[in-house]
Amino acid sequence: DHRDLHSFPPRRSSDLGRLRARGLLIEARASQDQNALVSDLVVKGIGADVPTALDAVRRNAEQLQKAAEAVRLFERTVVNEEKKLRAGTSTLINLITQRDRLTSARQVEVSAQLALALSLLDLRFETGTLLAEEGDEASLQPSRLTTPPTQEGP
């Protein structure tokens, strides 16, 4: 009833109490409506970044595979260069160069491992499978940091 809001000053203390109660009710409803809107936005946002996170995991897994292959190739190259040095058909400079390339390849491999781990973490976060729920408790299991979620569940 809008008449209560327009009768100012209130005639009685009961009018003041009623106006205060009405104000609190309006405020509570507005807060409830705002919370519903925020919840709706969160629900719509959940899963929206999953395809991007999944692509990042795929891309980083491919990069790691390529980096690991490069390390294997440079390891073989270093072994061959050591044999050639012992046979007198190579120089110490060539061996040092190949070992330096192997070290660089290993650094790239470690960086690729980190990128994959971070993208897995992001994917788990985006899918809501980062934490394992056990009753009322949630825990972080190490396997959840190194494996992607499955379609059946966490």
Side-chain angles (χ1 to χ4, degrees):
D1 189 6
H2 294 284
R3 287 177 287 164
D4 289 342
L5 296 174
H6 297 291
S7 61
F8 194 82
R11 290 181 222 137
R12 295 176 288 217
S13 63
S14 63
D15 290 342
L16 184 59
R18 190 173 47 236
L19 288 174
R20 185 168 193 272
R22 173 171 246 134
L24 290 173
L25 178 62
I26 291 170
E27 184 179 330
R29 285 181 181 160
S31 179
Q32 188 177 26
D33 290 346
Q34 182 180 11
N35 288 340
L37 288 173
V38 169
S39 294
D40 191 40
L41 285 173
V42 169
V43 167
K44 287 178 182 176
I46 292 174
D49 292 329
V50 170
T52 303
L54 187 57
D55 285 342
V57 168
R58 285 186 188 128
R59 207 173 38 254
N60 289 327
E62 289 173 6
Q63 290 298 320
L64 178 56
Q65 189 176 17
K66 290 176 185 178
E69 180 62 24
V71 168
R72 283 191 293 277
L73 291 174
F74 278 114
E75 286 173 340
R76 268 192 263 150
T77 301
V78 167
V79 168
N80 290 338
E81 205 61 43
E82 288 171 342
K83 288 178 184 176
K84 287 168 46 176
L85 181 62
R86 282 192 295 272
T89 58
S90 185
T91 65
L92 186 57
I93 296 295
N94 289 346
L95 177 60
I96 291 170
T97 300
Q98 293 307 322
R99 284 186 177 174
D100 186 50
R101 290 180 179 166
L102 173 58
T103 300
S104 294
R106 286 181 175 153
Q107 288 173 336
V108 168
E109 183 182 32
V110 169
S111 293
Q113 289 170 341
L114 175 61
L116 178 58
L118 291 174
S119 63
L120 281 169
L121 182 68
D122 188 45
L123 178 62
R124 284 282 189 174
F125 176 79
E126 293 298 337
T127 57
T129 59
L130 184 59
L131 298 177
E133 293 181 26
E134 300 162 2
D136 291 342
E137 303 267 329
S139 65
L140 181 61
Q141 299 171 345
S143 64
R144 298 209 174 209
L145 300 176
T146 57
T147 60
T150 61
Q151 286 184 333
E152 296 83 42

